[in-house]
Amino acid sequence: MWVWGIGVAVYFVAVTYRTSLGVAGIDATHRFDINASALSTFSILQLLVYAGMQIPVGLLVDRWGTKRILLLGVVLFTAGQFGFALSGSYGMALASRALLGCGDAMTFIAVLRLGTRWFPARRGPMIAQVAALMGMAGNLVTTLVLARVLDVFGWTPTFAGSAAGGLVILLLVIFFLRDHPEGHAPPPVSHAGGGYVRRQITDAWREPGTRLGMWVHFTSQFPGMVFLLLWGMPFLVEAQGIGRDTAGELLTLVVVSNMACGLVYGQVIARHHAARTPLVLGTVLTTATAWAAAIFWPGDHTPMGMLVVLCVVLGACGPASMIGFDFSRPANPPGRQGTASGIVNMGGFTASMTTLLAVGVLLDLTHDDYSIAFATVFVLQALGLTQIVRLRGKAVRRERERVVASRVEAVHVPA
């Protein structure tokens, strides 16, 4: 348990660094003298690197194991955070966020793989949700602590001080992390030949459960991610006329809601596997409704009560996206879990990256009309829902076939 806790601690720190720009967006525009499109480029580049690394990282986790990947990830995201603290130019800051995104990309898939090695399969949904919950705790630190430290101490001390946490985590990984319990090493998998990478990706992609998981992650995660990662604070402060302290509290509400929903979703899915699709569809439709009400509310400003509802609903986006891994996990053997998880994890971050770019461009084109810019969310939700409906039947049938086959094998053991 404590070994897995170290892996989760790595993810906690990575999320703290990933989301640090969400409370520093306005400060970044002044520090680097940039507009909305240039500001969104920070997060877009970070997510572009993150999404692009998912399949390579999944392959490396399957091949090298968890510890090596987490070590490399900690080194990279800590260096990126230190670089961002010392950045005096826009170009250097962009390079630092890219380095941070590269290290961040190596954490979550490795933590999921670590969980499959240290816990029984039946606890997979709950373990994945708890890992995500701990990541959101990192986001909570960002909104509660980092925002206030930034106001008091300024840019460089705040980001450099937070980067020191990465050095502590690095030591824990080096000395205490293990890939699997003693005597429970996984069976060796042949990685020889140039066809290994192609086979891993092709075999994982052919499974309907992997593709369904990717679209679930794509459709569910990105509204909450976009709001927390960059555009929530400017929307609340500039469009709604709310003070930064109150806006920070609303962002904190998103994180708290995320943590609470994660515990509930994990328990429900662990006990009722058939609840996966209803939870996903319900979350997506509720998010779309709350989002539309908040951005199209008549008058100059949306009432505080509606903004609170929006933030509570956005908190369910992350836990719903985790259900994507519950579709891909039973569809793939242990030796392909990292690759499949990488494909799934690309979904939400690709959607987030696309929306971050679209919102930044539309804000510049429409002179900061958030109603038009934020409406891009509905386009991606519609695309994702179409794919979920198309793939769900195939994935569920395939999963049932595997369950029946495994039971037959367990009963009819060869003499």
Side-chain angles (χ1 to χ4, degrees), residues 5-31:
I6 294 174
V8 171
V10 173
Y11 182 55
F12 171 89
V13 174
V15 173
T16 302
Y17 294 173
R18 178 201 303 169
T19 57
S20 57
L21 186 61
V23 297
I26 296 173
D27 299 84
T29 60
H30 297 307
R31 181 178 178 86

Side-chain angles (χ1 to χ4, degrees), residues 303-317:
M304 178 60 70
M306 187 63 242
L307 293 176
V308 169
V309 170
L310 173 65
C311 290
V312 171
V313 171
L314 288 177
C317 292

Side-chain angles (χ1 to χ4, degrees), residues 152 219 233:
V152 175
T219 313
M233 180 69 79

Side-chain angles (χ1 to χ4, degrees), residues 196-265:
Y196 165 73
V197 172
R198 183 177 63 253
R199 286 195 307 273
Q200 285 285 93
I201 296 174
T202 301
D203 290 346
W205 182 256
R206 281 177 178 168
E207 291 292 342
T210 304
R211 283 176 280 145
L212 176 61
M214 185 195 73
W215 284 109
V216 166
H217 202 269
F218 177 100
T219 313
S220 304
Q221 186 200 47
F222 77 98
M225 176 71 72
V226 167
F227 200 80
L228 280 175
L229 197 61
L230 184 62
W231 290 121
M233 180 69 79
F235 168 72
L236 295 171
V237 173
E238 297 174 358
Q240 300 302 322
I242 296 174
R244 291 187 62 165
D245 289 344
T246 304
E249 291 171 357
L250 287 172
L251 293 181
T252 302
L253 180 60
V254 178
V255 178
V256 173
S257 173
N258 185 296
M259 297 171 73
C261 290
L263 289 175
V264 174
Y265 281 29

Side-chain angles (χ1 to χ4, degrees), residues 60-61 63-76 106 110 114 170 173-174 177-179:
L60 290 174
V61 168
R63 186 164 188 168
W64 289 353
T66 301
K67 182 170 183 174
R68 293 179 183 178
I69 300 303
L70 286 179
L71 273 174
L72 182 57
V74 173
V75 170
L76 291 176
M106 298 181 178
L114 195 65
L170 179 63
V173 173
I174 290 173
L177 189 72
R178 300 199 307 272
D179 284 332

Side-chain angles (χ1 to χ4, degrees), residues 370-394:
Y370 279 88
S371 297
I372 295 176
F374 274 22
T376 55
V377 165
F378 305 126
V379 178
L380 273 71
Q381 285 182 322
L383 172 62
L385 284 173
T386 301
Q387 296 300 318
I388 290 172
V389 172
R390 183 178 70 86
L391 289 166
R392 180 191 172 275
K394 296 178 184 178

